Amino acid sequence: MISGVTGHMNGDHTDDNLLIARAFGYPGATASAMVGVTEAAGLWRVTDADGEHELSVAWPGGPISERPEIRREVVALYTAACAKLGVPARGEHEEPASSHHGAGDAADETHGDRAAHREEAAEGADAADRPFSVVIRESSWSDHSDSEGATFMEDIMRGKGSLQDYIDLVAQHYFMYEALEAAADRVAGDPRFAGFHTPSLVRLPALEADLAHLIGADWRDRIVAVPATLEYAARMREVAAEGWVAGVVAHHYTRYLGDLSGGQYIAKRVAKQHGLPGAGIAFYDFAELGDLAEFKNRYRAALDVLGAQLDADERARMLDEVRTAYAFNTAVFRDLGQAKLAAA
Ligand code: HEM
């Protein structure tokens, strides 16, 4: 009987297991499987950068005795997890979210439903009761899952990536941040950008130091951008050349808030696996920013201010650009995965 419940959770609700793990003890969880049910709690086996953990989460409604109560309590846990993490919960009538895990598609393929999504986004962006930062996060969370779940990234997080994989990723970051930080410089004088950029965010010097450490003094001659990275960098340059501030913010948000969130777990995982105590992972060190959670909250407040200055179309266009930025990241992982296969 119990194996039926856990089997269903692990087969059809893999993403729900992950959300529950992240909300109730392991914010950096990269995998989570339901392994048991007791009268008092559900049990999960969770993987994060530190390894595997047993997680027991008490049923929100108190101890249970009948099988149908399990479903009710698991749904209540899922809903509470979504509320805690600020991600939209599915309606009861909807199918479970599919597992997004798999290499991503190219930016243009991923967004085949762009028009429909834009309409939804425009409505969402107009919802006066929801801060723009929340709308951005919610409308792009499935794209986040695609990026995070790309095989190349998952391999790194599961300790299956080689040091060379990590070096290849750092090299892509170099080309991305060369474009991103030039884009930020181009709009730096615009007052609407003032709340977003601060010198302590700048990553290029840290990336140069990491690459010199990982590859050697001639690192610049030995790194190559994969095609998706070139397209991604070109898009950031294009947005900046247009002087489209909200577009630059879309790219700025997707990279920097990611580095300050999941990036911190990536650093932990890579440092542990490859013995890189500081040199080689300087890119992820944002100590100069102070408390990262507070910084992210100030950043989200700046997004809310920007959202209030944009009209509904501009907000929808910016949401689209955030999704495009995620799709580029997913495509970079796909290209890195293909290059790795080709080299094997
Ligand atoms: C293994 C890979 C990843 C993991 C484990 C991960 C995990 C997370 C977690 C736990 C959060 C929520 C943190 C919080 O609310 O404070 C988060 C937020 C975020 N992540 Fe990731 N992430 C990964 C990959 C990525 C990638 C590849 C990108 C895009 C380049 C990205 C972009 C973001 C952004 C923009 C946010 C902020 C969302 C918001 O609050 O508005 N993440 N990530």
Side-chain angles (χ1 to χ4, degrees):
M1 167 186 108
I2 297 310
S3 66
V5 175
T6 54
H8 173 65
M9 283 301 287
N10 298 331
D12 293 341
H13 296 271
T14 48
D15 290 357
D16 301 5
N17 287 330
L18 199 53
L19 280 173
I20 289 169
R22 285 186 176 165
F24 297 106
Y26 296 98
T30 53
S32 168
M34 193 172 195
V35 291
V37 167
T38 71
E39 204 182 78
L43 306 173
W44 281 263
R45 186 177 307 113
V46 179
T47 310
D48 72 3
D50 292 327
E52 285 206 344
H53 316 271
E54 278 282 318
L55 170 68
S56 162
V57 190
W59 301 124
I64 57 176
S65 54
E66 306 289 332
R67 189 176 193 274
E69 292 174 314
I70 303 176
R71 183 179 181 277
R72 185 195 66 206
E73 291 303 316
V74 170
V75 171
L77 271 187
Y78 162 74
T79 313
C82 290
K84 224 170 153 184
L85 297 174
V87 303
R90 279 189 311 279
E92 272 291 276
H93 57 285
E94 288 173 46
E95 285 299 306
S98 62
S99 171
H100 316 280
H101 296 188
D105 299 314
D108 47 359
E109 288 164 17
T110 310
H111 293 155
D113 59 342
R114 192 51 77 81
H117 191 90
R118 184 184 280 237
E119 258 172 47
E120 271 170 41
E123 275 171 33
D126 269 347
D129 55 331
R130 291 189 315 148
F132 192 49
S133 59
V134 173
V135 174
I136 295 175
R137 181 187 172 112
E138 290 189 352
S139 65
S140 61
W141 197 252
S142 68
D143 303 278
H144 177 273
S145 303
D146 289 342
S147 281
E148 180 193 356
T151 309
F152 187 86
M153 187 77 258
E154 276 202 339
D155 280 355
I156 287 187
M157 290 306 285
R158 289 187 177 159
K160 289 201 265 166
S162 64
L163 180 59
Q164 189 57 50
D165 292 347
Y166 173 64
I167 295 172
D168 292 343
L169 178 65
V170 180
Q172 306 315 304
H173 287 156
Y174 175 78
F175 296 109
M176 291 178 196
Y177 283 80
E178 201 183 22
L180 176 61
E181 292 178 354
D185 282 347
R186 269 190 99 136
V187 298
D190 192 307
R192 286 167 302 175
F193 195 61
F196 296 101
H197 205 57
T198 140
S200 307
L201 277 180
V202 172
R203 293 294 94 192
L204 219 45
L207 283 167
E208 288 170 354
D210 285 345
L211 286 164
H213 177 80
L214 294 165
I215 299 179
D218 60 344
W219 62 270
R220 188 63 188 83
D221 301 326
R222 294 174 54 194
I223 60 171
V224 180
V226 295
T229 302
L230 292 176
E231 286 169 35
Y232 186 12
R235 177 64 191 155
M236 289 193 261
R237 291 201 174 93
E238 185 181 30
V239 164
E242 272 178 38
W244 179 30
V245 174
V248 174
V249 173
H251 287 282
H252 193 273
Y253 157 82
T254 310
R255 280 304 329 176
Y256 289 115
L257 242 60
D259 300 333
L260 294 169
S261 305
Q264 299 301 300
Y265 301 107
I266 297 171
K268 228 172 144 185
R269 168 83 259 181
V270 168
K272 195 171 161 188
Q273 190 186 346
H274 303 299
L276 299 170
I281 53 162
F283 169 73
Y284 297 102
D285 179 359
F286 288 94
E288 274 184 31
L289 284 180
D291 185 294
L292 298 193
E294 275 174 27
F295 178 84
K296 286 196 281 184
N297 284 339
R298 286 199 300 277
Y299 195 101
R300 291 186 181 112
L303 289 172
D304 296 341
V305 170
L306 178 69
Q309 291 166 351
L310 302 175
D311 68 22
D313 274 354
E314 288 167 333
R315 282 197 291 273
R317 196 170 159 234
M318 177 174 159
L319 294 179
D320 243 8
E321 196 64 27
V322 169
R323 299 191 72 211
T324 297
Y326 273 120
F328 276 126
N329 280 281
T330 308
V332 169
F333 295 142
R334 181 208 55 202
D335 281 0
L336 284 171
Q338 280 175 3
K340 184 178 167 178
L341 278 180

